[in-house]
Amino acid sequence: MVEYTSPYSDEQQRVLINIEQHYDTWMAAERAATALPYGMKWAERSGKEYLYQVLDRIGNAKSLGPRSHETEAAMANYTSSKTEINERRQASAQKLTESCALYRSLRLPMIPSEAAKILREADRRSMLGSKLLVVGTNAMPAYSVEAGGEINDAPTETDDFDMAWSALVRDDSDLGVDGNVESGGQHLQREYRTYFSG
């Protein structure tokens, strides 16, 4: 009988389970950080202090109103939320880093680091699975994980990295993760999206 896969060991399976949980926790913290305003600050105008929401890195901002109980509460809420989210990001990143080291040491399937960066950014924007899919030979690591073992005689990955739009309605506002998106192809399972990175 032909063996199509070489099953993962118990230790490899344990690491796969743990890294998925650690990645999900880290990504939730990353998304929470992305959802926060770029920044908030007080500024004086005509002898009055106003609360401004900073919109981008060059300092564009919009006024949220003069200093009041409401704007002071908004600033306090922003500051405490940012502190709490940053603590979550740091703690979850440390656990994920430790799991990734185990993942690599056990020679579990990986994709190139540059491709993984693209996937992480797409996932941060909640685009994987809902709008974007990985196609071609770069999806093989996900198939291996789904199969529970290394796929024997699997095709060799090519140097390019292909993705396909999967959304029924195209949303151009999400462009910018990667400019080279092709249509058609197979689905890279979302739960194995980015920790194949070397």
Side-chain angles (χ1 to χ4, degrees):
M1 181 177 176
V2 178
E3 293 291 335
Y4 294 103
T5 63
S6 302
Y8 293 136
S9 67
D10 290 345
E11 179 65 7
Q12 286 174 314
Q13 292 179 35
R14 183 187 71 80
V15 169
L16 282 168
I17 291 169
N18 287 341
I19 202 169
E20 180 179 355
Q21 294 172 346
H22 294 160
Y23 176 86
D24 286 342
T25 301
W26 172 76
M27 183 52 69
E30 287 293 305
R31 288 181 181 146
T34 301
L36 285 174
Y38 188 86
M40 293 180 78
K41 66 178 182 179
W42 295 105
E44 188 173 318
R45 297 287 185 272
S46 304
K48 275 189 169 182
E49 272 197 312
Y50 289 82
L51 180 61
Y52 283 84
Q53 178 180 328
V54 181
L55 303 175
D56 54 39
R57 69 180 66 184
I58 62 174
N60 291 314
K62 68 175 182 179
S63 173
L64 300 179
R67 185 181 282 273
S68 65
H69 292 305
E70 290 77 15
T71 53
E72 286 179 351
M75 182 60 148
N77 181 61
Y78 167 76
T79 302
S80 63
S81 294
K82 186 174 181 179
T83 299
E84 185 267 332
I85 289 169
N86 282 338
E87 289 172 354
R88 281 171 46 203
R89 289 173 76 189
Q90 291 174 5
S92 59
Q94 182 177 349
K95 284 189 175 182
L96 183 59
T97 298
E98 292 168 359
S99 291
C100 286
L102 284 172
Y103 189 98
R104 286 189 292 271
S105 70
L106 291 171
R107 303 180 66 81
L108 285 159
M110 296 188 289
I111 63 173
S113 296
E114 289 304 312
K117 288 177 184 177
I118 294 170
L119 290 179
R120 282 193 294 271
E121 184 57 32
D123 199 22
R124 186 179 284 108
R125 299 183 190 197
S126 300
M127 295 173 67
L128 282 186
S130 60
K131 295 181 181 179
L132 290 175
L133 310 173
V134 174
V135 297
T137 54
N138 281 293
M140 292 308 299
Y143 299 149
S144 293
V145 172
E146 282 284 310
E150 183 178 347
I151 298 174
N152 298 326
D153 300 320
T156 304
E157 292 179 16
T158 56
D159 290 336
D160 62 344
F161 179 68
D162 301 317
M163 300 183 82
W165 284 107
S166 63
L168 295 177
V169 178
R170 181 170 170 161
D171 181 358
D172 289 336
S173 66
D174 288 320
L175 287 174
V177 175
D178 184 4
N180 183 23
V181 179
E182 298 178 7
S183 60
Q186 298 295 321
H187 186 188
L188 172 65
Q189 294 293 329
R190 182 179 178 276
E191 58 265 32
Y192 303 110
R193 52 208 166 260
T194 51
Y195 45 73
F196 303 117
S197 169

PDB file of all heavy atoms in Angstrom, residues 79-102:
ATOM      1  N   THR A  79      -5.324  56.037  26.671  1.00  0.00           N
ATOM      2  CA  THR A  79      -4.035  55.747  27.304  1.00  0.00           C
ATOM      3  C   THR A  79      -4.037  54.384  27.981  1.00  0.00           C
ATOM      4  O   THR A  79      -3.095  53.596  27.825  1.00  0.00           O
ATOM      5  CB  THR A  79      -3.696  56.844  28.338  1.00  0.00           C
ATOM      6  OG1 THR A  79      -3.670  58.111  27.671  1.00  0.00           O
ATOM      7  CG2 THR A  79      -2.349  56.591  28.978  1.00  0.00           C
ATOM      8  N   SER A  80      -5.111  54.084  28.720  1.00  0.00           N
ATOM      9  CA  SER A  80      -5.173  52.787  29.415  1.00  0.00           C
ATOM     10  C   SER A  80      -5.313  51.636  28.428  1.00  0.00           C
ATOM     11  O   SER A  80      -4.702  50.570  28.599  1.00  0.00           O
ATOM     12  CB  SER A  80      -6.328  52.775  30.421  1.00  0.00           C
ATOM     13  OG  SER A  80      -7.576  52.919  29.768  1.00  0.00           O
ATOM     14  N   SER A  81      -6.096  51.838  27.364  1.00  0.00           N
ATOM     15  CA  SER A  81      -6.260  50.787  26.356  1.00  0.00           C
ATOM     16  C   SER A  81      -4.940  50.502  25.651  1.00  0.00           C
ATOM     17  O   SER A  81      -4.577  49.340  25.444  1.00  0.00           O
ATOM     18  CB  SER A  81      -7.308  51.196  25.317  1.00  0.00           C
ATOM     19  OG  SER A  81      -8.586  51.298  25.896  1.00  0.00           O
ATOM     20  N   LYS A  82      -4.215  51.565  25.315  1.00  0.00           N
ATOM     21  CA  LYS A  82      -2.931  51.389  24.627  1.00  0.00           C
ATOM     22  C   LYS A  82      -1.941  50.644  25.510  1.00  0.00           C
ATOM     23  O   LYS A  82      -1.234  49.738  25.034  1.00  0.00           O
ATOM     24  CB  LYS A  82      -2.371  52.761  24.234  1.00  0.00           C
ATOM     25  CG  LYS A  82      -1.116  52.682  23.397  1.00  0.00           C
ATOM     26  CD  LYS A  82      -0.673  54.058  22.916  1.00  0.00           C
ATOM     27  CE  LYS A  82       0.571  53.962  22.060  1.00  0.00           C
ATOM     28  NZ  LYS A  82       1.002  55.293  21.575  1.00  0.00           N
ATOM     29  N   THR A  83      -1.906  50.989  26.798  1.00  0.00           N
ATOM     30  CA  THR A  83      -0.994  50.314  27.725  1.00  0.00           C
ATOM     31  C   THR A  83      -1.345  48.837  27.840  1.00  0.00           C
ATOM     32  O   THR A  83      -0.469  47.958  27.756  1.00  0.00           O
ATOM     33  CB  THR A  83      -1.057  50.973  29.113  1.00  0.00           C
ATOM     34  OG1 THR A  83      -0.650  52.341  29.000  1.00  0.00           O
ATOM     35  CG2 THR A  83      -0.158  50.249  30.099  1.00  0.00           C
ATOM     36  N   GLU A  84      -2.631  48.541  28.005  1.00  0.00           N
ATOM     37  CA  GLU A  84      -3.074  47.151  28.164  1.00  0.00           C
ATOM     38  C   GLU A  84      -2.800  46.333  26.911  1.00  0.00           C
ATOM     39  O   GLU A  84      -2.329  45.194  26.980  1.00  0.00           O
ATOM     40  CB  GLU A  84      -4.574  47.146  28.494  1.00  0.00           C
ATOM     41  CG  GLU A  84      -5.149  45.765  28.799  1.00  0.00           C
ATOM     42  CD  GLU A  84      -5.739  45.091  27.570  1.00  0.00           C
ATOM     43  OE1 GLU A  84      -6.190  45.809  26.655  1.00  0.00           O
ATOM     44  OE2 GLU A  84      -5.733  43.846  27.524  1.00  0.00           O
ATOM     45  N   ILE A  85      -3.068  46.921  25.748  1.00  0.00           N
ATOM     46  CA  ILE A  85      -2.849  46.207  24.486  1.00  0.00           C
ATOM     47  C   ILE A  85      -1.362  45.965  24.250  1.00  0.00           C
ATOM     48  O   ILE A  85      -0.962  44.876  23.813  1.00  0.00           O
ATOM     49  CB  ILE A  85      -3.483  46.983  23.313  1.00  0.00           C
ATOM     50  CG1 ILE A  85      -5.007  46.895  23.402  1.00  0.00           C
ATOM     51  CG2 ILE A  85      -2.996  46.452  21.975  1.00  0.00           C
ATOM     52  CD1 ILE A  85      -5.739  47.834  22.463  1.00  0.00           C
ATOM     53  N   ASN A  86      -0.526  46.960  24.549  1.00  0.00           N
ATOM     54  CA  ASN A  86       0.919  46.781  24.372  1.00  0.00           C
ATOM     55  C   ASN A  86       1.459  45.679  25.278  1.00  0.00           C
ATOM     56  O   ASN A  86       2.350  44.917  24.884  1.00  0.00           O
ATOM     57  CB  ASN A  86       1.660  48.092  24.625  1.00  0.00           C
ATOM     58  CG  ASN A  86       1.563  49.039  23.450  1.00  0.00           C
ATOM     59  OD1 ASN A  86       1.310  48.622  22.321  1.00  0.00           O
ATOM     60  ND2 ASN A  86       1.745  50.325  23.706  1.00  0.00           N
ATOM     61  N   GLU A  87       0.929  45.571  26.502  1.00  0.00           N
ATOM     62  CA  GLU A  87       1.336  44.493  27.403  1.00  0.00           C
ATOM     63  C   GLU A  87       0.935  43.142  26.829  1.00  0.00           C
ATOM     64  O   GLU A  87       1.703  42.169  26.880  1.00  0.00           O
ATOM     65  CB  GLU A  87       0.729  44.703  28.787  1.00  0.00           C
ATOM     66  CG  GLU A  87       1.350  45.871  29.550  1.00  0.00           C
ATOM     67  CD  GLU A  87       0.614  46.181  30.840  1.00  0.00           C
ATOM     68  OE1 GLU A  87      -0.456  45.566  31.098  1.00  0.00           O
ATOM     69  OE2 GLU A  87       1.099  47.049  31.606  1.00  0.00           O
ATOM     70  N   ARG A  88      -0.277  43.061  26.271  1.00  0.00           N
ATOM     71  CA  ARG A  88      -0.736  41.822  25.639  1.00  0.00           C
ATOM     72  C   ARG A  88       0.129  41.466  24.435  1.00  0.00           C
ATOM     73  O   ARG A  88       0.467  40.301  24.222  1.00  0.00           O
ATOM     74  CB  ARG A  88      -2.195  41.964  25.195  1.00  0.00           C
ATOM     75  CG  ARG A  88      -3.208  41.799  26.321  1.00  0.00           C
ATOM     76  CD  ARG A  88      -4.613  42.164  25.872  1.00  0.00           C
ATOM     77  NE  ARG A  88      -4.960  41.573  24.586  1.00  0.00           N
ATOM     78  CZ  ARG A  88      -5.912  42.060  23.784  1.00  0.00           C
ATOM     79  NH1 ARG A  88      -6.571  43.150  24.119  1.00  0.00           N
ATOM     80  NH2 ARG A  88      -6.190  41.465  22.641  1.00  0.00           N
ATOM     81  N   ARG A  89       0.482  42.476  23.647  1.00  0.00           N
ATOM     82  CA  ARG A  89       1.317  42.229  22.471  1.00  0.00           C
ATOM     83  C   ARG A  89       2.676  41.667  22.879  1.00  0.00           C
ATOM     84  O   ARG A  89       3.165  40.705  22.280  1.00  0.00           O
ATOM     85  CB  ARG A  89       1.510  43.521  21.680  1.00  0.00           C
ATOM     86  CG  ARG A  89       0.282  44.002  20.959  1.00  0.00           C
ATOM     87  CD  ARG A  89       0.511  45.367  20.338  1.00  0.00           C
ATOM     88  NE  ARG A  89       1.313  45.288  19.130  1.00  0.00           N
ATOM     89  CZ  ARG A  89       1.806  46.343  18.494  1.00  0.00           C
ATOM     90  NH1 ARG A  89       1.606  47.560  18.979  1.00  0.00           N
ATOM     91  NH2 ARG A  89       2.517  46.203  17.402  1.00  0.00           N
ATOM     92  N   GLN A  90       3.287  42.272  23.881  1.00  0.00           N
ATOM     93  CA  GLN A  90       4.614  41.826  24.308  1.00  0.00           C
ATOM     94  C   GLN A  90       4.573  40.412  24.873  1.00  0.00           C
ATOM     95  O   GLN A  90       5.419  39.571  24.538  1.00  0.00           O
ATOM     96  CB  GLN A  90       5.179  42.801  25.334  1.00  0.00           C
ATOM     97  CG  GLN A  90       5.536  44.162  24.752  1.00  0.00           C
ATOM     98  CD  GLN A  90       5.947  45.164  25.810  1.00  0.00           C
ATOM     99  OE1 GLN A  90       6.069  44.840  26.980  1.00  0.00           O
ATOM    100  NE2 GLN A  90       6.155  46.413  25.399  1.00  0.00           N
ATOM    101  N   ALA A  91       3.584  40.135  25.733  1.00  0.00           N
ATOM    102  CA  ALA A  91       3.486  38.805  26.348  1.00  0.00           C
ATOM    103  C   ALA A  91       3.199  37.731  25.301  1.00  0.00           C
ATOM    104  O   ALA A  91       3.814  36.660  25.303  1.00  0.00           O
ATOM    105  CB  ALA A  91       2.407  38.805  27.430  1.00  0.00           C
ATOM    106  N   SER A  92       2.269  38.026  24.391  1.00  0.00           N
ATOM    107  CA  SER A  92       1.912  37.031  23.377  1.00  0.00           C
ATOM    108  C   SER A  92       3.037  36.844  22.360  1.00  0.00           C
ATOM    109  O   SER A  92       3.266  35.732  21.879  1.00  0.00           O
ATOM    110  CB  SER A  92       0.610  37.420  22.671  1.00  0.00           C
ATOM    111  OG  SER A  92       0.720  38.681  22.049  1.00  0.00           O
ATOM    112  N   ALA A  93       3.760  37.924  22.043  1.00  0.00           N
ATOM    113  CA  ALA A  93       4.887  37.810  21.102  1.00  0.00           C
ATOM    114  C   ALA A  93       5.989  36.929  21.680  1.00  0.00           C
ATOM    115  O   ALA A  93       6.617  36.152  20.961  1.00  0.00           O
ATOM    116  CB  ALA A  93       5.430  39.195  20.769  1.00  0.00           C
ATOM    117  N   GLN A  94       6.219  37.040  22.988  1.00  0.00           N
ATOM    118  CA  GLN A  94       7.254  36.218  23.619  1.00  0.00           C
ATOM    119  C   GLN A  94       6.880  34.737  23.544  1.00  0.00           C
ATOM    120  O   GLN A  94       7.713  33.895  23.188  1.00  0.00           O
ATOM    121  CB  GLN A  94       7.442  36.638  25.075  1.00  0.00           C
ATOM    122  CG  GLN A  94       8.539  35.851  25.784  1.00  0.00           C
ATOM    123  CD  GLN A  94       8.769  36.332  27.209  1.00  0.00           C
ATOM    124  OE1 GLN A  94       8.261  37.377  27.616  1.00  0.00           O
ATOM    125  NE2 GLN A  94       9.526  35.562  27.963  1.00  0.00           N
ATOM    126  N   LYS A  95       5.625  34.409  23.850  1.00  0.00           N
ATOM    127  CA  LYS A  95       5.189  33.010  23.773  1.00  0.00           C
ATOM    128  C   LYS A  95       5.264  32.490  22.348  1.00  0.00           C
ATOM    129  O   LYS A  95       5.668  31.348  22.098  1.00  0.00           O
ATOM    130  CB  LYS A  95       3.762  32.871  24.306  1.00  0.00           C
ATOM    131  CG  LYS A  95       3.657  32.918  25.811  1.00  0.00           C
ATOM    132  CD  LYS A  95       2.252  32.556  26.258  1.00  0.00           C
ATOM    133  CE  LYS A  95       2.176  32.490  27.778  1.00  0.00           C
ATOM    134  NZ  LYS A  95       0.822  32.102  28.240  1.00  0.00           N
ATOM    135  N   LEU A  96       4.859  33.334  21.394  1.00  0.00           N
ATOM    136  CA  LEU A  96       4.887  32.917  20.001  1.00  0.00           C
ATOM    137  C   LEU A  96       6.317  32.687  19.528  1.00  0.00           C
ATOM    138  O   LEU A  96       6.598  31.713  18.822  1.00  0.00           O
ATOM    139  CB  LEU A  96       4.201  33.970  19.127  1.00  0.00           C
ATOM    140  CG  LEU A  96       4.097  33.646  17.642  1.00  0.00           C
ATOM    141  CD1 LEU A  96       3.323  32.355  17.405  1.00  0.00           C
ATOM    142  CD2 LEU A  96       3.435  34.804  16.893  1.00  0.00           C
ATOM    143  N   THR A  97       7.232  33.544  19.938  1.00  0.00           N
ATOM    144  CA  THR A  97       8.644  33.386  19.569  1.00  0.00           C
ATOM    145  C   THR A  97       9.191  32.067  20.092  1.00  0.00           C
ATOM    146  O   THR A  97       9.919  31.350  19.383  1.00  0.00           O
ATOM    147  CB  THR A  97       9.474  34.564  20.117  1.00  0.00           C
ATOM    148  OG1 THR A  97       8.994  35.780  19.535  1.00  0.00           O
ATOM    149  CG2 THR A  97      10.949  34.393  19.795  1.00  0.00           C
ATOM    150  N   GLU A  98       8.841  31.730  21.322  1.00  0.00           N
ATOM    151  CA  GLU A  98       9.296  30.463  21.903  1.00  0.00           C
ATOM    152  C   GLU A  98       8.726  29.280  21.131  1.00  0.00           C
ATOM    153  O   GLU A  98       9.435  28.298  20.859  1.00  0.00           O
ATOM    154  CB  GLU A  98       8.888  30.400  23.378  1.00  0.00           C
ATOM    155  CG  GLU A  98       9.625  31.404  24.257  1.00  0.00           C
ATOM    156  CD  GLU A  98       9.019  31.535  25.643  1.00  0.00           C
ATOM    157  OE1 GLU A  98       7.995  30.853  25.918  1.00  0.00           O
ATOM    158  OE2 GLU A  98       9.557  32.312  26.455  1.00  0.00           O
ATOM    159  N   SER A  99       7.442  29.360  20.779  1.00  0.00           N
ATOM    160  CA  SER A  99       6.823  28.272  20.021  1.00  0.00           C
ATOM    161  C   SER A  99       7.429  28.148  18.629  1.00  0.00           C
ATOM    162  O   SER A  99       7.603  27.044  18.111  1.00  0.00           O
ATOM    163  CB  SER A  99       5.308  28.511  19.899  1.00  0.00           C
ATOM    164  OG  SER A  99       4.679  28.363  21.143  1.00  0.00           O
ATOM    165  N   CYS A 100       7.746  29.288  18.013  1.00  0.00           N
ATOM    166  CA  CYS A 100       8.354  29.267  16.677  1.00  0.00           C
ATOM    167  C   CYS A 100       9.722  28.591  16.701  1.00  0.00           C
ATOM    168  O   CYS A 100      10.093  27.882  15.761  1.00  0.00           O
ATOM    169  CB  CYS A 100       8.472  30.683  16.129  1.00  0.00           C
ATOM    170  SG  CYS A 100       6.901  31.390  15.595  1.00  0.00           S
ATOM    171  N   ALA A 101      10.482  28.817  17.776  1.00  0.00           N
ATOM    172  CA  ALA A 101      11.789  28.176  17.898  1.00  0.00           C
ATOM    173  C   ALA A 101      11.629  26.658  17.947  1.00  0.00           C
ATOM    174  O   ALA A 101      12.390  25.921  17.302  1.00  0.00           O
ATOM    175  CB  ALA A 101      12.514  28.684  19.141  1.00  0.00           C
ATOM    176  N   LEU A 102      10.645  26.175  18.695  1.00  0.00           N
ATOM    177  CA  LEU A 102      10.367  24.734  18.756  1.00  0.00           C
ATOM    178  C   LEU A 102       9.900  24.220  17.401  1.00  0.00           C
ATOM    179  O   LEU A 102      10.302  23.143  16.952  1.00  0.00           O
ATOM    180  CB  LEU A 102       9.297  24.444  19.814  1.00  0.00           C
ATOM    181  CG  LEU A 102       9.739  24.500  21.274  1.00  0.00           C
ATOM    182  CD1 LEU A 102       8.530  24.383  22.194  1.00  0.00           C
ATOM    183  CD2 LEU A 102      10.732  23.372  21.568  1.00  0.00           C
TER     184      LEU A 102
END
